[in-house]
Amino acid sequence: MGTLYYGDSGTPIGIEDRALAHVKVAITTKLRRGESFTLSWQHADDQPRGRSTLWLHPSIPLRFVFDEPESPELSRDWIEELMRSANSTGGIRLVPEHLDTNPIPTIADQPVQVGVDVQEVDTTLEGDSA
């Protein structure tokens, strides 16, 4: 669980590391442009029921702290979705990542073997009668 610190508030905001990495890209992009906006999220299960919103402004200190030492691989689609929400009147809404779970298209009449990603290769050399 990562943490977002905003301004001089002593109340840290816990956000899962992968989500925080994506939100960081969207937030820093907006702030780099000098744009103010809001960030909204629903409270975690261990907090009082509800939701919160922050007004983010380039002049207010912001710090991202991650539990994991390695950066996760980022999803361009998720970042684009966060940026679209950042550019709306509602500001960034921390939404779950939408993973593509659609089946992978295959060519008709081509056998598909689960767990096999290469075809057998003939290893005999030309002229080798073995």
Side-chain angles (χ1 to χ4, degrees):
M1 178 70 72
T3 309
L4 174 68
Y5 295 92
Y6 186 64
D8 59 3
S9 172
T11 307
I13 302 160
I15 301 174
E16 186 271 325
D17 267 16
R18 182 166 171 74
L20 186 58
H22 286 79
V23 168
K24 179 185 121 184
V25 172
I27 288 173
T28 55
T29 299
K30 294 286 285 180
L31 294 177
R32 189 179 308 121
R33 295 176 185 162
E35 299 172 5
S36 300
F37 57 97
T38 60
L39 169 65
S40 301
W41 68 94
Q42 290 184 346
H43 294 171
D45 292 338
D46 62 342
Q47 296 177 343
R49 190 172 147 221
R51 58 190 160 85
S52 293
T53 300
L54 287 177
W55 175 253
L56 296 166
H57 188 275
S59 68
I60 300 173
L62 179 65
R63 183 166 57 116
F64 302 89
V65 178
F66 298 90
D67 282 345
E68 294 296 321
E70 298 298 321
S71 298
E73 185 173 329
L74 298 177
S75 163
R76 178 179 300 273
D77 291 340
W78 197 6
I79 292 169
E80 287 174 358
E81 185 174 356
L82 290 167
M83 288 303 297
R84 276 192 298 276
S85 71
N87 292 325
S88 73
T89 56
I92 294 179
R93 289 178 313 279
L94 187 52
V95 295
E97 180 175 12
H98 298 283
L99 300 175
D100 182 6
T101 57
N102 294 326
I104 298 170
T106 58
I107 299 171
D109 300 326
Q110 180 180 15
V112 176
Q113 297 178 352
V114 176
V116 177
D117 52 39
V118 294
Q119 297 178 351
E120 287 186 35
V121 177
D122 183 8
T123 58
T124 59
L125 299 174
E126 255 185 68
D128 187 5
S129 57

